[in-house]
Amino acid sequence: FRATQYTCMLLSYLIEHKADKEKLVMKLKQLESSMSSGRKMFRLGNMVHTLVAARRTTQLPDVVPRVCLTASNLTRTLYFVCDAVLWSKSVGLQPDIDKPKWRNWATKCYYFSLLMNLARDWYEISWRLEQAVQEEKTKEISFWDKHNQELNCMKCDGLHGFLLLLFQILKRHPPLLLDLVKNLCDLSGPLDTLGIYKTNPGVIGFCGVLSSLVGILTIASPHLKLKQ
């Protein structure tokens, strides 16, 4: 549903200025709206899932992931609460709800949740960077497999060395790379809605499609999902 919604958004943006495409653009926008409404209905029970996840992440031994993931899950719960209120407005159960206000609250909760996820991603990256640098200094490369020995010649000082090392780390840890890509892509929507960084539906649609494909991939191949 999510991939279809953002694909419709991207396609309608790409063809909206072309002649004789008005009907197709209208159909794409209607399908996008239907997918959005369907997603809201399917998410009604997600607040329970995020509360359970928050309780689980409070037991993580490492303090940084524990704080980041617990805060992310709790704010994601608030986002789902706001989302449920917006859904009740869209189906006419609560017609008097202030939709812009609730949408703004939902976007802020989602935005903060993504920031917490990105903070956790950066912690994972920085931990692996520090570990790689220490191994480089001591020439202990047993952490890396045989085809990683190019790290022996890598100089970690300077931007170029940092980027090379970062590339190697993300290359060797696909779950971390996919989680980082997904969170960065998801950030485009709330940044635009909150006016922090304005973009266009084409960019949001593309980022949404990419993020959805990553999500589908991690469901199809659970070993690619970053473990909590």
Side-chain angles (χ1 to χ4, degrees), residues 137-154:
K137 289 180 178 179
T138 59
K139 303 299 181 182
E140 295 175 358
I141 61 169
S142 59
F143 179 76
W144 307 95
D145 54 22
K146 293 180 181 179
H147 60 276
N148 279 329
Q149 291 186 5
E150 64 267 18
L151 285 175
N152 288 340
C153 302
M154 186 180 300

Side-chain angles (χ1 to χ4, degrees), residues 88-213:
S88 67
K89 165 74 174 181
S90 65
V91 298
L93 294 177
Q94 297 289 340
D96 299 329
I97 287 174
D98 189 344
K99 187 175 180 178
K101 181 179 70 175
W102 281 93
R103 178 177 292 173
N104 184 60
W105 287 350
T107 304
K108 287 180 178 179
C109 290
Y110 185 51
Y111 176 61
F112 185 78
S113 176
L114 289 174
L115 290 182
M116 291 295 98
N117 286 338
L118 284 170
R120 186 272 181 109
D121 288 341
W122 176 246
Y123 173 78
E124 295 285 345
I125 291 172
S126 62
W127 176 76
R128 288 180 169 85
L129 282 171
E130 182 179 356
Q131 188 177 42
V133 169
Q134 291 299 324
E135 291 175 355
E136 182 71 14
K137 289 180 178 179
T138 59
K139 303 299 181 182
E140 295 175 358
I141 61 169
S142 59
F143 179 76
W144 307 95
D145 54 22
K146 293 180 181 179
H147 60 276
N148 279 329
Q149 291 186 5
E150 64 267 18
L151 285 175
N152 288 340
C153 302
M154 186 180 300
K155 295 186 181 300
C156 296
D157 53 334
L159 180 61
H160 181 66
F162 169 78
L163 293 177
L164 283 175
L165 188 56
L166 179 61
F167 171 78
Q168 287 293 328
I169 287 173
L170 293 177
K171 181 181 177 182
R172 303 307 174 200
H173 298 85
L176 180 56
L177 173 61
L178 291 175
D179 195 70
L180 180 64
V181 169
K182 187 177 188 306
N183 287 325
L184 288 174
C185 287
D186 288 341
L187 205 59
S188 62
L191 285 177
D192 181 78
T193 303
L194 296 174
I196 298 172
Y197 183 80
K198 300 297 292 184
T199 179
N200 57 64
V203 173
I204 297 174
F206 174 77
C207 290
V209 171
L210 182 57
S211 171
S212 299
L213 292 177

Side-chain angles (χ1 to χ4, degrees), residues 11 15 26 41 44-45 48 53 58 75 77 97 102 130 134 141 175 198 211 224 228:
L11 291 177
I15 67 174
M26 184 177 297
M41 182 183 68
L44 289 177
V48 177
T58 57
T75 51
T77 301
I97 287 174
W102 281 93
E130 182 179 356
Q134 291 299 324
I141 61 169
K198 300 297 292 184
S211 171
L224 293 175
Q228 292 186 350

